[in-house]
Amino acid sequence: MALDRSDVEKIAHLARLQIDEQDIPEYTQNLSNILDLVNQMQAVDTSDVEPMANALDAVQRLRKDAVTEDNNRENLQSVAPAVENGLFQVPKVIE
Amino acid sequence: MEWEAVIGLEIHAQLATKSKIFSGASTAFGAEPNTQACAVDLALPGTLPVFNEEALRMAVKFGLAIDAEIGRTSVFDRKNYFYPDLPKGYQTSQLFHPIVGIGHIDITLEDGTSKRIGVTRAHLEEDAGKSLHDEFPGMTGIDLNRAGTPLLEIVSEPDMRTAEEAVAYVRKIHALVTSLGICDGNMAEGSFRCDCNVSVRPKGQEEFGTRTETKNINSFRFIEKAIVGEIERQIDLIEDGGRVIQATRLYDANKNETRSMRSKEEANDYRYFPCPDLLPIVIDEDYIDAVRDSLPELPDARKARFIEEYKLSDYDAMVLSGDHNLATYFEIVAKAANDAKMAANWVMGELSKHLNQNDTTIANSPVSAEQLGGLVERIKDNTISGKIAKQVFEVMWAEGGSADEIIEAKGLKQVTDTGAIESIVDEVISKADKQVAQYKAAEPDKRGKMLGFFMGQVMKATGGKANPGAVNGILKKKLDALCD
């Protein structure tokens, strides 16, 4: 299955990736190659196989409902680019 | 043309766990920003989610309460989108294999008819954080305390046709989750919120019209208003030759209208896929049976018991059982007062009136069930009249205190001493020659009605404290004696 330029632009937008115009043909080719591989695997008959949600042959372990984390704000916010009044600051996201 | 609305609802109920769905941070409401957001909630590299067993149990409880199929194997999926209050870049949710499958509830409408509403599914997911847009120029402040709070998203079938049905459905779900103890139901704090999908179509048409979704409405009244308004808007639009655009809308309570937030035509592409950080959740029959055995009394059973045990009317039982806190409150009052009918009247009357006027809820009532029970008990044993009781209730509401303390402090105890009442009656009669003459002149079967004037005078003289039954008897005896 071949992707075209607009598919790659859309994928980049959804992933919030800025890509260079000149690289788009290469990305298009590489991503198409991956899909070709997927297509090859699609040829295998899996009608008797239960789809799996995880590669590990195990089930989820559960945690007791208990508060185990203390306030660690100062530490955690020390790596944030901007903090004010305890709030993380980001560029304004609505008009 | 006659139009018909089609309504489907998505309710987000915040599950009442102590800790978050995938981390050990607290879910308590109202903390300082970001003091309850740990490394997992912040999506710092290398952290992994661990699922909270209580969130699972609560979801299963809900599923059993609506007669739904419980997912023996359920799977968490990633819903991918970018927004700063979602630090992972995806919301962990359940799309393909939700914990709760198809179920249903029955709603009862004002006219007494009932209707079955389908529940398509209910799934577990995490809440996002909170964005504060107005506090800093050019910047948005992010508080991640709410990030990772467990939610149960309950999705209905498009089975509702009127705003009234929609509100009855929301109230029923609210009563269910609060009765089950899986959600505190606090709509003002956002613990229980509702998205309304509304479309209209010519009556009789099979096919659905284009729908809009109005987000995050947080009161029963606003749900009703938003739906009524949106139905009208869509009908007007179509009748004027326009068409409804599929869009997400916001309800503005101040203007009582919905307005467009974003058009679904540029809809997000969420690219759901199974979350590789979480394994499938597998539960067995023993687990489900154990949860079923732990279910408390549900609203429908409670309503039936109220009719049976307390001899309440169908309507009273429906109103009182329709809200978990109200039902619990009523039962305490009824037991304290030893009179269910009177307790129901006070809870649904004076108390509800005060709660509405002060825009508060039963959980925050300044008058406790024990206090009100004590008050009703004093009406029942004739210490005070119903009228005086309203005065006592006002004081109780404003200043607190038990009924006995207030009755004592304000000197409101009913006068039942016959001697005292007789002397007041004598005084009233001696000052009312005109009315006494009229009474004498009246036909004996008309006289009963004329007692009202004298009754009023005696009550005025005693500040309403005389026992009405005793006054009535004494008045009649003395006046009739004058007629002989």
Side-chain angles (χ1 to χ4, degrees), chain B residues 248-308:
Chain B
T248 303
R249 304 180 71 82
L250 271 183
Y251 176 68
D252 184 334
N254 295 323
K255 293 187 188 150
N256 187 27
E257 63 181 28
T258 65
R259 60 186 151 81
S260 184
M261 194 163 84
R262 60 168 185 261
S263 164
K264 277 255 171 169
E265 286 177 357
E266 50 195 75
N268 285 304
D269 180 349
Y270 292 127
R271 293 152 292 144
Y272 278 96
F273 64 91
C275 180
D277 286 347
L278 287 154
L279 294 160
I281 300 139
V282 176
I283 51 179
D284 58 21
E285 295 312 309
D286 288 349
Y287 179 90
I288 292 171
D289 288 343
V291 175
R292 187 179 282 116
D293 288 344
S294 77
L295 289 182
E297 184 182 43
L298 298 176
D300 285 345
R302 198 168 216 182
K303 179 185 163 192
R305 182 169 61 80
F306 280 5
I307 293 170
E308 168 77 21

Side-chain angles (χ1 to χ4, degrees), chain B residues 139-430:
Chain B
M139 301 294 271
T140 293
I142 307 290
D143 176 7
L144 294 170
N145 280 350
R146 206 180 58 189
T149 299
L151 300 177
L152 187 66
E153 179 172 339
I154 304 157
V155 182
S156 84
E157 291 286 307
D159 284 350
M160 289 151 279
R161 296 289 173 266
T162 64
E164 189 203 351
E165 289 179 10
V167 172
Y169 169 84
V170 179
R171 282 189 183 277
K172 190 66 179 279
I173 296 283
H174 188 268
L176 259 185
V177 296
T178 51
S179 297
L180 288 165
I182 64 172
C183 175
D184 69 15
N186 189 326
M187 296 176 88
E189 289 177 4
S191 305
F192 187 93
R193 40 193 208 260
C194 183
D195 301 343
C196 303
N197 290 293
V198 176
S199 65
V200 297
R201 63 182 174 189
K203 209 173 167 111
Q205 179 181 304
E206 262 315 285
E207 194 186 328
F208 291 154
T210 305
R211 70 162 193 266
T212 62
E213 180 182 24
T214 304
K215 284 276 199 198
N216 281 340
I217 315 177
N218 65 352
S219 91
F220 296 124
R221 205 168 4 148
F222 291 162
I223 291 168
E224 176 154 26
K225 284 184 164 183
I227 293 175
V228 167
E230 184 57 19
I231 293 171
E232 275 176 20
R233 190 189 71 85
Q234 291 187 12
I235 292 173
D236 288 349
L237 193 65
I238 298 169
E239 290 190 337
D240 289 348
R243 68 179 184 102
V244 177
I245 295 165
Q246 187 171 352
T248 303
R249 304 180 71 82
L250 271 183
Y251 176 68
D252 184 334
N254 295 323
K255 293 187 188 150
N256 187 27
E257 63 181 28
T258 65
R259 60 186 151 81
S260 184
M261 194 163 84
R262 60 168 185 261
S263 164
K264 277 255 171 169
E265 286 177 357
E266 50 195 75
N268 285 304
D269 180 349
Y270 292 127
R271 293 152 292 144
Y272 278 96
F273 64 91
C275 180
D277 286 347
L278 287 154
L279 294 160
I281 300 139
V282 176
I283 51 179
D284 58 21
E285 295 312 309
D286 288 349
Y287 179 90
I288 292 171
D289 288 343
V291 175
R292 187 179 282 116
D293 288 344
S294 77
L295 289 182
E297 184 182 43
L298 298 176
D300 285 345
R302 198 168 216 182
K303 179 185 163 192
R305 182 169 61 80
F306 280 5
I307 293 170
E308 168 77 21
E309 185 179 336
Y310 297 113
K311 311 291 175 223
L312 293 185
S313 71
D314 199 72
Y315 179 79
D316 289 1
M318 181 182 81
V319 172
L320 291 169
S321 65
D323 180 300
H324 176 67
N325 290 330
L326 196 68
T328 308
Y329 190 106
F330 158 73
E331 288 208 73
I332 296 170
V333 178
K335 294 219 161 76
N338 199 23
D339 187 324
K341 185 62 201 161
M342 208 184 266
N345 288 343
W346 273 83
V347 171
M348 291 166 63
E350 212 58 19
L351 178 75
S352 293
K353 192 176 89 188
H354 278 71
L355 292 173
N356 285 340
Q357 280 167 356
N358 291 277
D359 212 12
T360 186
T361 60
I362 190 95
N364 299 314
S365 170
V367 174
S368 72
E370 288 76 10
Q371 279 172 291
L372 184 57
L375 177 60
V376 178
E377 195 185 1
R378 290 293 163 261
I379 308 170
K380 175 95 174 147
D381 69 10
N382 277 327
T383 306
I384 51 172
S385 67
K387 201 170 162 193
I388 292 288
K390 288 191 181 177
Q391 288 180 34
V392 176
F393 184 83
E394 292 291 343
V395 177
M396 211 177 244
W397 181 277
E399 298 162 25
S402 74
D404 288 342
E405 284 162 5
I406 297 165
I407 291 166
E408 178 67 32
K410 307 263 173 191
L412 295 171
K413 199 166 171 354
Q414 185 156 264
V415 181
T416 46
D417 171 11
T418 320
I421 295 175
E422 283 197 12
S423 62
I424 295 165
V425 167
D426 287 340
E427 169 124 9
V428 165
I429 289 177
S430 73

